[in-house]
Amino acid sequence: MSQMKTLVLAMGLSLAARGAVAQAPEMAMAQAAMRQAAPPAAWPQDPGDSLYRAGREALNAGRYERAATAFERIADRYARSAYAGDALYWAAFARYRLGGSSNLQAAQRRLTQQTDRYPKATTRKDGDVLDARINGALARRGEGPDAEPGARAP
């Protein structure tokens, strides 16, 4: 119990023992002090929260480059964030939507990171499905493991 709570409780018990009413000046002062003291957070705020929300907003608005960047920052800067595993999936998804060889390859790297670092991420199985789609997109371009020899896209 914090010192402030202990003080308020002790003052309240003291006033109750003396038969004082709840609005006694000492009790009012103690309650005011308690209201002014900043309560400690129940849990430390997740440092990836604001980036994750920004990434989701950008993704929903179709701003895939901005979304990918926000999600990648979570994984790169806040690897211990509760959002990091899923952020890798969403970064990969945004890169997939952007298309192009470099984005598709970057998406695959992010999915590999998710598999290696966050095997229990809630989007982990979705990552397998997305990886298959990326392989298909690369194959259509004549790239990647599923590409047919000589099938390079113009």
Side-chain angles (χ1 to χ4, degrees), residues 51-52 55-56 59 67-75 87-88 90-91:
L51 277 173
Y52 190 83
R56 292 294 300 182
L59 193 65
T69 300
F71 291 127
E72 289 165 347
R73 283 184 183 160
I74 295 169
L88 286 168
W90 291 114

Side-chain angles (χ1 to χ4, degrees), residues 3-73:
Q3 291 179 338
M4 185 61 71
K5 286 182 180 178
T6 303
L7 174 65
V8 170
L9 182 60
M11 290 180 95
L13 290 174
S14 173
L15 291 171
R18 291 188 293 172
V21 294
Q23 294 301 320
E26 295 93 353
M27 186 60 142
M29 286 179 16
Q31 288 173 340
M34 186 69 160
R35 283 191 299 271
Q36 289 175 356
W43 298 279
Q45 184 177 357
D46 191 314
D49 181 68
S50 61
L51 277 173
Y52 190 83
R53 283 187 282 118
R56 292 294 300 182
E57 288 174 16
L59 193 65
N60 291 338
R63 294 189 313 263
Y64 300 117
E65 184 67 43
R66 178 177 275 175
T69 300
F71 291 127
E72 289 165 347
R73 283 184 183 160

Side-chain angles (χ1 to χ4, degrees), residues 66-133:
R66 178 177 275 175
T69 300
F71 291 127
E72 289 165 347
R73 283 184 183 160
I74 295 169
D76 295 342
R77 293 182 184 175
Y78 308 113
R80 293 181 153 215
S81 166
Y83 296 103
D86 291 339
L88 286 168
Y89 169 82
W90 291 114
F93 179 81
R95 295 276 173 213
Y96 167 73
R97 293 300 301 256
L98 285 166
S101 295
S102 62
N103 280 314
L104 294 171
Q105 292 166 1
Q108 283 189 315
R109 286 191 300 274
R110 291 303 183 174
L111 292 174
T112 299
Q113 288 176 332
Q114 184 193 43
T115 300
D116 294 346
R117 296 180 190 173
Y118 308 98
K120 295 182 180 182
T122 57
T123 54
R124 185 52 224 109
K125 290 184 181 180
D126 295 323
D128 291 337
V129 174
L130 181 58
D131 191 46
R133 286 184 177 191

